Amino acid sequence: MQVSKTLDYAVRSLTYMSKRPVERFSMKEISEKQHIPLNYLAKIMRKLVNRGIIRSMVGPDGGYALRKSPGEINLKDVYEAIEGELKMIDCMDKDTICSLYENCPQLPVWDKLQVSMIKILESTTLEDMLNREKSNVA
């Protein structure tokens, strides 16, 4: 399993913004400092705005800012803003009924893995990411 480039860029951008959580950031600054292509970042920022994780302000003093403190934004929120609902395999989709569901030997493994991933994402905030970064520098 691999984290998508889009999710990686989203987390990277938000972690960067979390270092100065009350400031506004231009897309150009985030793009340059985090080495994310500007047009790619625009799509990511739109998704984050639509999910209420960040806000967008227009005008000469415009830019992007976090809507909540870094300790209130968890990685599950970010994941769902970028990727949608977390599901390990298609048959775990609520709207899909697999013909093998009743006797599937692998379903408990995927379910356990999915539950574990959700717990980790829910319990990890942007503030936690910053604290890990600081402890790695020290």
Side-chain angles (χ1 to χ4, degrees):
M1 294 184 334
Q2 186 173 2
V3 171
S4 73
K5 184 185 294 189
T6 308
L7 180 59
D8 175 46
Y9 285 170
V11 173
R12 199 184 312 172
S13 299
L14 291 168
T15 304
Y16 177 76
M17 293 171 71
S18 294
K19 291 176 183 178
R20 302 185 321 261
V22 296
E23 288 187 30
R24 295 178 187 173
F25 298 86
S26 71
M27 231 187 317
K28 183 178 180 196
E29 176 187 351
I30 297 168
S31 171
E32 289 174 357
K33 298 291 185 182
Q34 296 303 301
H35 308 285
I36 302 170
L38 195 56
N39 59 346
Y40 203 150
L41 183 59
K43 293 175 187 175
I44 292 168
M45 299 305 262
R46 227 179 348 268
K47 288 182 177 187
L48 296 173
V49 167
N50 289 341
R51 283 303 281 247
I53 295 172
I54 62 174
R55 66 176 178 250
S56 172
M57 295 147 284
V58 295
D61 293 327
Y64 294 89
L66 298 177
R67 278 199 174 273
K68 305 176 195 171
S69 74
E72 296 175 302
I73 301 170
N74 67 45
L75 294 184
K76 183 177 182 264
D77 296 334
V78 180
Y79 182 95
E80 289 178 344
I82 300 301
E83 305 289 353
E85 183 183 355
L86 176 65
K87 58 182 179 177
M88 296 302 301
I89 53 177
D90 287 338
C91 70
M92 295 181 85
D93 189 345
K94 293 174 189 159
D95 299 328
T96 303
I97 297 176
C98 174
S99 60
L100 302 175
Y101 182 82
E102 294 296 322
N103 299 312
C104 181
Q106 64 192 39
L107 187 62
V109 174
W110 299 137
D111 188 51
K112 187 176 179 180
L113 183 58
Q114 180 171 308
V115 167
S116 296
M117 287 179 60
I118 289 170
K119 284 181 182 177
I120 291 168
L121 293 173
E122 282 178 334
S123 67
T124 306
T125 66
L126 295 177
E127 185 173 9
D128 294 331
M129 304 279 287
L130 286 177
N131 290 336
R132 286 188 186 120
E133 180 182 73
K134 289 175 188 173
S135 67
N136 288 338
V137 173

